[in-house]
């Protein structure tokens, strides 16, 4: 039986809306890559990457590239950040904070 995936609806928040305290906490996670965080969260919830890719209508290789921290196999920045936000929502992670970490890591 397949596990049901539901995506939470969230509004867009600008990077400036992340307060200084949160930025300092997030900066402490720079030693753990965004890909490692996503993979650990996905595996802890027993999701297969193909399930999430199908749910989000995102190609599996793009999600695999995010988990592998492989910027060279990701689309343009605006799309990649959107994928990170959507992936975070599905896994119950804070999408804006994950986008912040992703941008700090790659851009």
């Amino acid at each position: 039986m397949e596990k049901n995936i539901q995506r939470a609806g969230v509004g867009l928040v600008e990077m400036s809306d992340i307060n200084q305290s949160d930025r300092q906490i997030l900066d402490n996670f720079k030693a753990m890559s965004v890909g490692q965080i996503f993979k650990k969260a996905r595996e802890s919830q027993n999701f297969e990457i193909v399930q999430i890719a199908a749910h989000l209508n995102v190609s599996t290789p793009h999600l695999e590239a995010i988990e592998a921290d492989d910027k060279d196999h990701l689309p343009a920045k605006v799309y990649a950040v959107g994928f990170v936000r959507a992936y975070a929502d599905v896994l119950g992670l804070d999408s804006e904070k994950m986008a912040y970490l992703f941008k700090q890591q790659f851009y």
Side-chain angles (χ1 to χ4, degrees):
M1 184 167 142
E2 283 191 33
K3 189 171 182 177
N4 189 21
I5 301 173
Q6 295 183 1
R7 183 172 177 213
V10 294
L12 294 178
V13 177
E14 295 297 320
M15 291 296 293
S16 60
D17 291 339
I18 297 175
N19 66 42
Q20 189 62 31
S21 175
D22 281 347
R23 285 178 193 240
Q24 289 172 343
I25 291 168
L26 291 170
D27 287 343
N28 291 331
F29 285 95
K30 286 184 180 177
M32 188 175 193
S33 74
V34 169
Q36 290 170 327
I37 294 168
F38 275 122
K39 186 171 183 173
K40 185 174 183 176
R42 178 181 58 79
E43 290 175 344
S44 73
Q45 296 178 47
N46 297 313
F47 284 129
E48 296 294 327
I49 200 164
V50 293
Q51 289 177 288
I52 296 173
H55 177 74
L56 294 175
N57 199 28
V58 172
S59 74
T60 301
H62 285 144
L63 295 185
E64 290 171 339
I66 290 170
E67 285 192 359
D69 300 309
D70 184 2
K71 182 183 172 193
D72 294 335
H73 288 94
L74 289 173
K77 176 183 175 183
V78 67
Y79 295 106
V81 172
F83 294 163
V84 164
R85 284 188 173 119
Y87 198 6
D89 285 343
V90 167
L91 295 175
L93 302 171
D94 186 311
S95 61
E96 295 309 315
K97 291 177 183 176
M98 291 302 293
Y100 171 79
L101 287 174
F102 180 76
K103 289 175 184 179
Q104 292 301 306
Q105 183 176 341
F106 291 113
Y107 298 103

